[in-house]
Amino acid sequence: MQNRLKVVSDIFSAIPLHRRTTVMGKVAGALLAVSKIKNAVPLIHGPVGCAYQRRINPFELSSNFFEMPMPCTDLTELDTVYGGEEALKESILQTYERYHPKLIVVITTCQSDIIGDDVKAAINEIKADIECDVVFSTGSLFPKRRDISVVGTQDVLYAIVDQLLEEKVKEQVKEKNSVNVAIFSVHGAASEMSEMKGMLEKIGIKINGIYFDGTAATTVEDLKNMPRAELNIVDYPQAWAILMKEKFGIDYIETFPMSLRRPEASSPFGVEGGIKFFTEVAEKFGLEEKAIEVMNEEKRKIEPELKRLRAKLGGKKIAISPLLFFHSGVVPILLSDLKMDARYILLEEFKSYSANVVIIKFVKLYLSRICKKYGMKPEMLVDFTTDEEIEALKSVDLVIAPRNNDVLRYQMHGIKAFNAGSFSEHYGRIGFKTSLDLGEMLVKELNKPVQRSPLISMLDYDAKRQAMTEPWARLEDTWRTLWGTGW
């Protein structure tokens, strides 16, 4: 199923900016979080269009927004004037009577936020009349921090810890040497955690629960058992994990790869990243010696396969998108595990995000430092015209690109390219085997003839923002102008 979804996703992402029209905003992100909880139903507190729009325009092609119940309070102009709290209370009752969920998550919208409905008070008045838990997500529960954008998914998870997990659970007996593994719900490879689970168990670390992993298997009871663990493992900075530490004294480890926020961080993918990750977790329990023993044994097992892939890929010249240093986690695998030769970093991409001279200078130094760690000194392609960039890239064996439309653009010019962003989303997972998977895919890509898409190649891409067609680029200019004037 996952492979079929990947194919569909790649087809649609070939349409320039298709997925940008489905940005994971407040409602979409909140719905994604609720969709990962078994027997939970979202209740959208706003006009009916807020619910309908998510039906016709889901964030991900693999999301189950089409199947998931999506009741709505259907606020009207009259509710806007007099308040929607009565409509909310009535809708909570109707939602329970119709679906009998274990959890109702009220998701506020722009309308209910602007008029200032007291959602908490409305829930408190009605929850004695139903036999399920109710929490609410407003998009503004967590104190603002520059490194964490708490809207949508993050706010729902924070609401669960804040409103569902009661203080009395502190009295629960902790599971010794136990962890919660919680995966950000947009990650398509989240459910492929068998290797990580096996590694932790060999070290002597018990999994208390796996949460929000894309299978909708997390129950409300599972959520209430989260405080039994001694450590939370999360992928990106998570507001709810910070709250768990404050509320229950449970520490957390972030596996966020190669972030600007944590320059010392490394990807948890592959041999080098896997060893660092598992050792860091083991140190929390005083099990680092056992972790090193387990890591050495697992590394020995995969070494023959890794050696075979290095023989085919080692020294192959590649150009890498700078975006992949911050989000995908594949760069250490390419440079360390597979011994590929980074000749260029495509810094021109940063200009398409309106990066200024200071940012470009900082990123150049930052990426140079990372590449130096692996004995590489790639040329930074910046201030290049499209024609100059294409001419330079004709000398490499493969471009490692972040999106499918980038791949198609390079293929139009006879240059082989690999969609590393899609790989990370659908196949990337903590452990050593990701290196083998990526290596096998790269070997296949290099052995294939250059593919071209005649229909896509007929589109006129913008000269500066090469992932966009000209109409989309003009639309972006319009919005940037509005934002810049403070409208």
Side-chain angles (χ1 to χ4, degrees):
M1 172 60 75
Q2 189 178 61
N3 288 338
R4 291 200 297 272
L5 289 172
K6 175 190 176 299
V7 171
V8 176
S9 178
D10 283 350
I11 290 171
F12 275 82
S13 65
I15 303 171
L17 219 65
H18 169 75
R19 292 172 76 177
R20 289 176 185 264
T21 64
T22 54
V23 172
M24 189 178 61
K26 175 178 174 179
V27 176
L31 289 170
L32 271 173
V34 179
S35 73
K36 309 306 177 186
I37 304 169
K38 190 175 182 179
N39 291 332
V41 173
L43 172 58
I44 298 176
H45 184 35
V48 69
C50 292
Y52 177 71
Q53 196 247 359
R54 302 298 2 136
R55 293 289 194 192
I56 63 173
N57 195 8
F59 174 64
E60 283 288 356
L61 294 166
S62 57
S63 68
N64 62 353
F65 290 179
F66 301 106
E67 303 171 2
M68 183 171 63
M70 205 178 298
C72 178
T73 54
D74 190 15
L75 295 185
T76 64
E77 290 89 343
L78 198 62
D79 296 317
T80 304
V81 176
Y82 292 103
E85 292 165 19
E86 291 302 318
L88 175 58
K89 289 188 283 186
E90 182 180 348
S91 295
I92 291 173
L93 282 173
Q94 291 177 350
T95 299
Y96 177 74
E97 290 170 358
R98 179 169 183 178
Y99 300 106
H100 294 285
K102 296 292 185 182
L103 175 67
I104 296 173
V105 180
V106 176
I107 302 168
T108 64
T109 61
C110 298
Q111 182 173 341
S112 53
D113 289 337
I114 290 171
I115 64 178
D117 279 344
D118 192 339
V119 176
K120 182 177 181 179
I123 291 172
N124 287 338
E125 285 183 35
I126 202 69
K127 64 182 182 182
D129 298 329
I130 59 176
E131 297 180 6
C132 78
D133 292 296
V134 184
V135 301
F136 64 94
S137 167
T138 64
S140 60
L141 296 176
F142 183 70
K144 299 301 180 187
R145 273 180 49 171
R146 294 181 63 186
D147 58 340
I148 301 179
S149 178
V150 187
V151 295
T153 295
Q154 285 254 28
D155 198 68
V156 167
L157 304 187
Y158 186 91
I160 286 169
V161 175
D162 184 39
Q163 302 164 36
L164 185 66
L165 307 187
E166 300 175 3
E167 291 285 349
K168 65 182 181 182
V169 298
K170 284 184 178 179
E171 301 168 8
Q172 289 181 344
V173 177
K174 296 283 187 183
E175 289 282 354
K176 186 175 174 56
N177 296 346
S178 63
V179 297
N180 294 320
V181 180
I183 302 298
F184 200 49
S185 57
V186 296
H187 292 180
S191 60
E192 298 184 17
M193 289 187 282
S194 58
E195 183 183 8
M196 180 175 70
K197 184 173 181 291
M199 291 260 207
L200 290 174
E201 289 174 346
K202 287 178 182 177
I203 294 169
I205 298 170
K206 181 180 178 181
I207 306 279
N208 181 61
I210 297 174
Y211 298 92
F212 318 119
D213 68 339
T215 62
T218 298
T219 67
V220 176
E221 194 59 37
D222 291 334
L223 293 173
K224 291 180 178 180
N225 282 331
M226 289 182 76
R228 294 175 62 88
E230 294 185 321
L231 180 72
N232 284 317
I233 297 174
V234 299
D235 43 8
Y236 282 91
Q238 299 283 305
W240 67 265
I242 295 171
L243 181 61
M244 286 278 284
K245 185 172 183 178
E246 295 171 354
K247 192 173 180 179
F248 305 110
I250 300 174
D251 202 358
Y252 59 91
I253 285 179
E254 298 166 355
T255 63
F256 187 70
M258 296 279 188
S259 71
L260 285 171
R261 194 179 63 84
R262 291 174 58 198
E264 80 287 354
S266 65
S267 162
F269 301 160
V271 176
E272 177 190 275
I275 290 174
K276 185 175 177 20
F277 166 75
F278 288 112
T279 303
E280 183 181 1
V281 174
E283 285 174 349
K284 294 287 185 179
F285 304 102
L287 296 170
E288 52 267 43
E289 289 187 10
K290 181 63 176 178
I292 293 170
E293 178 187 326
V294 171
M295 293 303 101
N296 287 337
E297 176 61 20
E298 295 299 320
K299 184 178 177 181
R300 185 189 62 78
K301 289 179 183 177
I302 71 159
E303 193 58 39
E305 279 299 297
L306 203 53
K307 186 176 180 180
R308 179 182 64 82
L309 290 169
R310 284 173 182 161
K312 296 180 179 181
L313 297 171
K316 292 291 184 182
K317 299 183 291 293
I318 58 175
I320 309 173
S321 163
L323 300 178
L324 298 174
F325 283 81
F326 308 117
H327 297 298
S328 73
V330 302
V331 172
I333 297 177
L334 297 169
L335 304 185
S336 178
D337 293 356
L338 302 177
K339 307 297 183 185
M340 301 187 83
D341 181 4
R343 290 296 177 93
Y344 298 112
I345 294 180
L346 308 175
L347 267 181
E348 192 66 28
E349 282 189 11
F350 261 72
K351 286 193 172 182
S352 67
Y353 294 94
S354 300
N356 59 35
V357 175
V358 175
I359 294 174
I360 292 290
K361 183 178 180 181
F362 172 78
V363 171
K364 285 175 71 173
L365 290 171
Y366 175 68
L367 299 187
S368 296
R369 189 166 74 245
I370 292 173
C371 292
K372 185 178 180 181
K373 173 184 174 182
Y374 301 106
M376 305 285 175
K377 194 176 181 180
E379 180 180 351
M380 304 286 174
L381 293 190
V382 65
D383 297 325
F384 273 54
T385 66
T386 301
D387 290 340
E388 288 172 337
E389 180 192 71
I390 293 300
E391 191 60 35
L393 294 182
K394 287 181 179 178
S395 65
V396 302
D397 297 297
L398 192 65
V399 174
I400 311 298
R403 299 168 295 244
N404 201 45
N405 42 352
D406 292 301
V407 170
L408 292 166
R409 183 169 62 86
Y410 291 122
Q411 289 175 343
M412 284 163 48
H413 297 282
I415 299 169
K416 290 184 178 181
F418 177 77
N419 186 349
S422 179
F423 172 85
S424 296
E425 181 179 354
H426 297 284
Y427 300 100
R429 56 195 181 275
I430 294 173
F432 296 176
K433 292 179 182 176
T434 300
S435 295
L436 304 182
D437 290 344
L438 180 59
E440 292 290 358
M441 291 184 186
L442 291 174
V443 169
K444 288 181 181 179
E445 197 65 47
L446 286 167
N447 288 334
K448 289 192 306 187
V450 177
Q451 297 175 321
R452 288 182 171 87
S453 175
L455 291 177
I456 298 296
S457 65
M458 292 172 67
L459 295 169
D460 293 321
Y461 288 88
D462 184 72
K464 295 181 179 178
R465 285 150 296 187
Q466 297 156 348
M468 301 184 191
T469 56
E470 291 181 357
W472 280 110
R474 289 196 297 270
L475 182 61
E476 183 189 54
D477 287 337
T478 301
W479 283 110
R480 287 191 182 279
T481 301
L482 290 172
W483 291 333
T485 57
W487 179 81

